[in-house]
Every structure is written in structure tokens, then in C-alpha cells.
Amino acid sequence: MKDKKIMRGFLALWLVLSFWGCAAYVKPSYIVPGPNPIANYRFDYNPPKDLKKSTEPFTFLLLQANKEVKSPYSTTSVEVDIPRFSSRTTEDLNKIISEFSTSITEDLKELMTQKGFRLVQLVKSQDEATYGQREMSNFAIYPKVSIEIYDQLISSEKPKQDITQALVTNQYSPGLVKGVFGMKGRITMELKEPITWQLVWTKSVDIDRLEQEYSFKWNYNPQLKTGYTIGEDTRPQVLASMLEKIYNDVFEKFNTYLDPAEFSMLNKQAQEIRKKATGIIK
């Protein structure tokens, strides 16, 4: 009799545990981090009123600034334990650098006009410049923007399960990643003879490395190829603030580089280059 009671007890316990095990499983859910903050910035240069103006009618063909970006973020280096890559953040960073490059071109155009130079046309590339535009120009000026981005991890927390609600919602709150965002670069102006595209001179402004802390939140996302979602990322604002900080300094140096007296000497060199090319360039 005693053995039967023990067996019934074990059976009842097994049934309870079986039922509890079935009822206890709840499919995990993951709280999606919020969107990235909208970066606040403005790239704008106002030339000083006391500019040294050219007394000679030099004519320039201005090319759209070229940009080159080296970044540590790529889908090939993704690790779920320490997520770094975010397509949204990468798009935001590229947009800021593109707007920086466009502003460089537009403000260079304004600066040159204020200094008394004549601009034939703004073209996107050498291939788009017509022979007529090249022939009537003394020089072609080509700005280039080169940016290199660094990222050093400080700490990384994984998403956390809410233990108190594990049997009800099985919900995971986002993890937090902190790091140091670094940037350095070089802004260059190339001066070319526009018929041959031969380089006449190069002037550059080096951007010393700048660093600032950032953070973002992340959580698992089984529906995405990467396996996670990143949000509330401050890296775009950090980059924008850095570029905004150095923008006026770049143009202060550009102002000194665009020296009318130097162009008088360079024009003779450019004319010699063009003269030697006569009969070769059609």
C-alpha cells in the first residue's frame, strides 16, 4: 500500500512538472531600441570683408569635391556579442560626409568669387567638362575630401532578460555599447591645367585626430541577417560636431592658399604646359 502511494505521488509530481514545463515556455520578445537622434549641424563659411582680391581676370573651372571615406564598419566584421555595424548609422554618417563635401564646393565657389576670380562652370568630374569650358579656363580647381574613421570599444552590455516577467513575457531589454569615436583626414585643393589636366599645384589642410565618446543601444532581432538591431546611436552627431568644428579652419587656410599673386606666376607655367600640348590635345 505504501509503495502505491509513493508511485501515485511521483505520478502526480510528474504531471504537474510536465504541465508546468509546457505552460512556462513563452517565445522571447525583444524591445527595439529607439531611432538614432537627428544630427544637428551646419557647414557654412562667410568670407571676410577685407579679402585680397585679384586684379587679373583669371578664369577657373571648378570641379565638384571628391570624397573618400575609410570606415571600420562593415557587414563582414559583424559579431553578435559586440555589434558594431548598423546600416542606418552608416547611412547617417555617409550623408553627413556628403553634405560636408558639397558645402566645401559651394563655399569654395563663393570664396573664389569674392576674391575676384571668374568661374566658368561647376562640373561633377573631368569627364563632364566640355572642351570649350576647358579652353576658356586658365585653371581647373579640384577639391578632395579624405576622411578616416576610428572606433574603440569601451564597454558592451548584452540585452537583459526581465527575470521577474520571464514566465509571462520573456522580454529582453536592449544592451548598451559605449566607445570612443575618432576621426582624422585631409582636405585638398588640386590646381590643374584644364586642357591637359596636368597637375600644377596641390595645397592641403590636415585634420588632426579628433576623439569623442559615443553610445548606442542594441537588441537581438532574429528576423534580420545580422541578428540584431542598433538604435539611439550618437555616432552621427559626434561626427557632425567634429566636421563642424574644423570647417571654418579649413576655409581660413583655403583663403590664404588662393593667393592672386601666386596665380600670376602659376598662369605662366600653365600656359607653357598648354603650349607644349598644342596639336596633341584635340
Side-chain angles (χ1 to χ4, degrees), residues 77-88:
S77 61
V78 166
E79 291 190 17
V80 175
D81 284 344
I82 308 177
R84 311 298 285 278
F85 172 80
S86 162
S87 58
R88 176 73 265 174

Side-chain angles (χ1 to χ4, degrees), residues 62-188:
L62 178 61
L63 280 72
Q64 178 70 46
N66 176 66
K67 66 180 177 70
E68 178 183 307
V69 182
K70 293 182 181 179
S71 170
Y73 312 120
S74 70
T75 54
T76 58
S77 61
V78 166
E79 291 190 17
V80 175
D81 284 344
I82 308 177
R84 311 298 285 278
F85 172 80
S86 162
S87 58
R88 176 73 265 174
T89 295
T90 301
E91 288 173 10
D92 289 346
L93 294 173
N94 287 337
K95 179 184 176 184
I96 291 166
I97 295 173
S98 293
E99 291 185 8
F100 178 83
S101 299
T102 299
S103 297
I104 288 284
T105 305
E106 293 299 322
D107 282 339
L108 181 57
K109 178 180 177 181
E110 182 182 355
L111 175 60
M112 294 180 71
T113 302
Q114 291 291 328
K115 290 179 80 76
F117 300 123
R118 294 188 298 184
L119 298 178
V120 174
Q121 187 69 37
L122 170 62
V123 294
K124 291 184 179 179
S125 66
Q126 291 182 178
D127 294 337
E128 290 193 10
T130 66
Y131 185 79
Q133 291 169 341
R134 294 160 62 191
E135 189 174 35
M136 70 174 67
S137 302
N138 298 100
F139 305 101
I141 195 160
Y142 186 20
K144 293 184 176 181
V145 175
S146 178
I147 301 293
E148 188 170 354
I149 293 171
Y150 298 85
D151 188 336
Q152 181 180 354
L153 190 70
I154 295 177
S155 64
S156 176
E157 297 176 0
K158 291 185 177 181
K160 296 179 180 178
Q161 184 185 35
D162 186 350
I163 302 299
T164 61
Q165 297 294 317
L167 300 179
V168 180
T169 61
N170 199 13
Q171 194 172 68
Y172 287 76
S173 59
L176 179 66
V177 172
K178 293 182 179 180
V180 174
F181 185 97
M183 182 207 76
K184 67 178 183 179
R186 173 174 290 180
I187 317 298
T188 303

